[in-house]
Amino acid sequence: MSKEESKYGFKDKAKAEESLELLKSEDHKYQVLTVRGLLGRAKRVLTLTKAEEKVKNIKEAIEVFENWIEENSNSSTKNAKPKESEEKVETVAGLGFKDKEAAEKTLKILKGRDPDYQKLAIKGLLGSAKRVLPSTKNEDKIKSIKEAMETFEDFLETFDREERSKQNMAYLSLDLIKNLSDKPSDALAAEFVECYDKVAKGNYKHLRTKFPKDDDSTSWDIVRNKKLLKLKETVKQNGEKLFDSDGKPTKVHLEMIYWAYSPNVDKLKAYCTKLEKSSAKKRSHSSSESDSESEDEVKDKKKSKK
């Protein structure tokens, strides 16, 4: 892996988000200065860039940095207590780079988690290791850290070669799941949705350190991915459809949705929008009937008085 890959950058949204993740280990002032520097460079590069795709990617990176600065540079809110939904995400325990053994343990801990998170975590550790090396004097420690780095670099090389990012199963928003009138029939899926809602507050990152009631060894993100892989295999083997003729998610698709995933999010959103409009129409009709009944009651009362 080249040196450039471990540095902060702005070539696209993913690189910008990765840069912010790497900066988390630095103090706040350094973070702000670095992000502002990246933002300035990105804007300068943008004026010289002609390729539309590159322009689009850099603009998305700029937006990531601008949003971060807006959220993190306001001194009046910096020390404010975060809202429940914005609580700091707990770090997955046990990750490290002190030696090859620690690196291998890290890869084991990350196994089964979201591929995008695996890559982000390893890149973050690799960046931290590279920053620690210059200040390390003990030769044995230097050797151990380098062995850990080599393990991580091998992992990233394999990750990219096998295009594991394509295996990532993006989380559906909690609101989208709640739009459905059906409820999970599977008890574990129901518990997952409840955790995603009540504990994680709709932030899927919290699921990396939360566990089912009957299993405190496998976090929800890993449980979810295992379940989804089985469901996807079922769909593939049986050639099952995701939507019926009316556009409603099929049974197997609903099972996926309650694990916060859909292979066709756009069509699912369209269905939910249709569902909302239908519900609103029913409520409006019901309200009109109620108003009409009230008017009739008033008229009847007036007649009886006469």
Side-chain angles (χ1 to χ4, degrees), residues 98-110:
K98 71 173 184 177
D99 53 28
K100 186 175 181 179
E101 186 181 347
E104 288 173 344
K105 181 187 174 185
T106 293
L107 294 180
K108 190 175 180 181
I109 291 170
L110 291 173

Side-chain angles (χ1 to χ4, degrees), residues 3 5 21 23 45 49 66 76 100 120-121 153 216 228 267 271 275 297 300-301:
K3 263 187 174 182
E5 287 181 339
E21 190 70 25
L23 280 167
V45 168
T49 306
E66 285 178 337
S76 64
K100 186 175 181 179
L120 194 63
E153 285 167 347
D216 60 359
L228 285 173
K267 194 168 181 179
Y271 170 74
L275 212 60
E297 285 176 6
D300 289 341
K301 283 181 181 178

Side-chain angles (χ1 to χ4, degrees), residues 87-100:
E87 283 179 358
K88 188 176 179 181
V89 177
E90 289 179 55
T91 305
V92 173
L95 309 185
F97 56 83
K98 71 173 184 177
D99 53 28
K100 186 175 181 179

Side-chain angles (χ1 to χ4, degrees), residues 83-245:
K83 296 177 184 177
E84 281 188 304
S85 60
E86 296 170 352
E87 283 179 358
K88 188 176 179 181
V89 177
E90 289 179 55
T91 305
V92 173
L95 309 185
F97 56 83
K98 71 173 184 177
D99 53 28
K100 186 175 181 179
E101 186 181 347
E104 288 173 344
K105 181 187 174 185
T106 293
L107 294 180
K108 190 175 180 181
I109 291 170
L110 291 173
K111 189 176 181 181
R113 298 181 188 273
D114 304 320
D116 281 358
Y117 173 65
Q118 290 182 33
K119 185 174 184 178
L120 194 63
I122 294 302
K123 279 199 164 191
L125 288 165
L126 200 50
S128 297
K130 287 184 177 182
R131 288 193 295 275
V132 165
L133 266 183
S135 59
T136 305
K137 306 301 178 186
N138 186 292
E139 289 297 325
D140 288 336
K141 285 185 178 180
I142 290 173
K143 180 174 177 288
S144 295
I145 293 172
K146 283 185 175 179
E147 286 176 350
M149 289 170 65
E150 188 178 342
T151 301
F152 289 151
E153 285 167 347
D154 288 344
F155 169 84
L156 290 174
E157 187 181 329
T158 304
F159 187 100
D160 290 337
R161 186 176 66 251
E162 295 179 355
E163 298 182 317
R164 292 184 190 174
S165 283
K166 290 182 178 179
Q167 299 168 17
N168 203 67
M169 295 176 283
Y171 284 75
L172 290 175
S173 71
L174 187 61
D175 289 339
L176 199 57
I177 298 170
K178 284 182 170 182
N179 274 337
L180 299 173
S181 53
D182 300 292
K183 299 299 175 189
S185 56
D186 177 64
L188 192 61
E191 188 186 338
F192 169 80
V193 173
E194 185 180 10
C195 181
Y196 191 20
D197 182 10
K198 307 295 183 186
V199 182
K201 309 293 183 187
N203 184 346
Y204 69 89
K205 294 177 183 178
H206 286 296
L207 298 172
R208 298 169 190 158
T209 53
K210 306 303 175 191
F211 301 82
K213 292 172 186 174
D214 296 330
D215 182 6
D216 60 359
S217 62
T218 310
S219 53
W220 273 121
D221 58 334
I222 298 175
V223 172
R224 169 189 182 262
N225 288 343
K226 283 181 180 177
K227 291 287 184 181
L228 285 173
L229 286 173
K230 286 182 181 178
L231 289 168
K232 287 179 80 173
E233 189 60 30
T234 299
V235 170
K236 185 179 177 181
Q237 285 183 351
N238 301 338
E240 295 195 37
K241 292 183 178 180
L242 297 174
F243 297 90
D244 63 19
S245 56

